[in-house]
């Protein structure tokens, strides 16, 4: 009688540790690239602080109005993104239908579209002479050159960032975890609320932050679809464009606020250890 041979244990893999550092010239080029990316932001902050442009502009009305409009419109945009983007991301994460590739391409399209093209597309879709213009007028809604148009433009360009992050988060949830909850008698809605969404929360949070940053910095689609009306559709990016021709200090202050907001968002994403690549193509 031959004895059975126990199977050998499967080798475990550990993160690979590099024993040799790159050559000196690699560090030099890396530092040059980092300096190239950081220098414009440093120059902007130095100009704003050194000249007192930030303090003086914040005391004025134009920057405060643009800041308030940017914050309020992006807040509304995020609500719309969550309400519409979460179900879309869940369907994309759990569906392998024939048309899913096309659906994912449509989600990614606003990311690669030039902002001017996005603005024209919105105008032709929701303008008075657009595809849905007559239908919207029947219910008394006119979108172009209104504050609501600002929200629509922000949602269009920002939603893909949230959907990509949420889709990655939903796909990361193991099916066995959800199945165990179903075996215990949980309904589909309860599984979604108690299992799937909490486990996907880090990715959802990262997507929301990135979507908010993209909405805050939106310019091209907004100016074409909503116009640049002070106190009504003029957000911070549009104020930078307008004031650059008249008041460099006001333009510098608005640009500094945008730069600090974007930098703070990116630092927060990394400090909170949210997934860093969830907004980009797989």
């Amino acid at each position: 009688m031959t004895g059975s041979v126990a199977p050998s244990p499967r080798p475990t893999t550990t993160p690979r540790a590099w024993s040799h550092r790159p050559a000196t010239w690699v560090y030099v080029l890396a530092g040059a690239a980092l300096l190239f990316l950081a220098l414009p932001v440093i120059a902007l902050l130095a100009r704003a602080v050194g000249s007192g442009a930030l303090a003086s502009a914040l005391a004025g009305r134009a920057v405060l109005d643009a800041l308030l409009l940017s914050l309020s419109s992006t807040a509304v945009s995020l609500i719309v993104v969550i309400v519409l983007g979460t179900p879309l991301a869940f369907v994309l994460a759990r569906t392998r239908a024939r048309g899913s590739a096309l659906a994912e391409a449509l989600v990614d399209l606003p990311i690669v579209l030039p902002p001017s093209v996005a603005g024209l597309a919105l105008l032709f879709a929701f303008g008075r002479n657009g595809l849905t213009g007559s239908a919207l007028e029947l219910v008394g809604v006119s979108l172009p050159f209104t504050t609501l148009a600002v929200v629509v433009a922000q949602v269009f360009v920002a939603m893909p960032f949230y959907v990509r992050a949420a889709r990655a988060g939903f796909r990361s949830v193991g099916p066995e975890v959800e199945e165990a909850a179903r075996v215990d008698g949980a309904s589909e809605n309860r599984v979604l609320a108690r299992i799937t969404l909490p486990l996907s929360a880090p990715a959802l949070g990262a997507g929301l932050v990135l979507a908010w940053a993209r909405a805050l910095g939106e310019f091209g689609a907004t100016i074409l679809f909503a116009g640049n009306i002070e106190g009504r559709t003029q957000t911070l990016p549009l104020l930078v464009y307008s004031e650059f021709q008249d008041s460099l200090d006001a333009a510098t202050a608005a640009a500094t606020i945008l730069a600090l907001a974007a930098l703070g968002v990116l630092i927060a994403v990394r400090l909170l250890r949210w997934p860093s690549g969830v907004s980009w193509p797989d």
Side-chain angles (χ1 to χ4, degrees):
M1 180 176 179
T2 59
S4 60
V5 179
S8 58
R10 299 177 63 180
T12 58
T13 59
T14 57
R16 187 175 183 180
W18 298 100
S19 57
H20 301 284
R21 292 184 177 181
T24 303
W25 64 268
V26 177
Y27 281 106
V28 173
L29 292 179
L34 188 61
L35 180 61
F36 173 76
L37 296 174
L39 192 58
V41 179
I42 295 174
L44 178 64
L45 295 178
R47 173 62 185 254
V49 175
S51 64
L54 184 60
S56 60
L58 287 177
R61 186 69 181 175
V63 173
L64 291 179
D65 287 343
L67 176 60
L68 180 60
L69 178 60
S70 293
L71 294 178
S72 59
S73 61
T74 52
V76 176
S77 299
L78 278 189
I79 295 175
V80 178
V81 166
I82 293 173
V83 172
L84 298 180
T86 304
L88 175 59
F90 187 78
V91 171
L92 292 177
R94 302 302 172 88
T95 302
R96 291 294 184 270
R98 181 175 299 178
S100 59
L102 177 59
E104 293 186 2
L106 290 176
V107 169
D108 295 337
L109 188 58
I111 297 178
V112 299
L113 274 181
S116 57
V117 176
L120 283 176
L122 290 173
L123 194 60
F124 293 150
F126 303 109
R128 293 177 181 175
N129 298 323
L131 292 177
T132 63
S134 57
L136 291 174
E137 287 187 354
L138 290 177
V139 294
V141 176
S142 179
L143 287 180
F145 309 108
T146 63
T147 305
L148 186 57
V150 175
V151 175
V152 172
Q154 291 175 350
V155 170
F156 182 76
V157 300
M159 185 181 294
F161 291 86
Y162 175 74
V163 171
R164 294 197 63 85
R167 184 187 61 186
F170 290 142
R171 286 180 177 174
S172 67
V173 178
E176 65 279 358
V177 179
E178 296 178 340
E179 190 60 33
R182 295 187 184 96
V183 171
D184 289 338
S187 63
E188 290 298 324
N189 290 334
R190 193 174 184 85
V191 170
L192 179 63
R194 297 296 183 89
I195 305 295
T196 309
L197 288 178
L199 292 178
S200 305
L204 298 180
L208 278 179
V209 171
L210 293 173
W212 177 80
R214 179 64 185 90
L216 183 67
E218 166 51 33
F219 172 80
T222 304
I223 197 171
L224 286 176
F225 184 52
N228 189 12
I229 307 172
E230 185 176 350
R232 185 176 178 183
T233 65
Q234 188 178 74
T235 57
L236 276 176
L238 299 184
L239 180 65
V240 173
Y241 173 78
S242 298
E243 294 294 348
F244 182 75
Q245 306 173 32
D246 301 322
S247 174
L248 185 59
D249 286 347
T252 302
T256 302
I257 294 174
L258 285 172
L260 291 176
L263 182 62
V265 164
L266 294 176
I267 292 176
V269 168
R270 282 152 180 79
L271 290 181
L272 294 174
R273 301 185 183 276
W274 283 334
S276 60
V278 293
S279 63
W280 308 110
D282 297 329

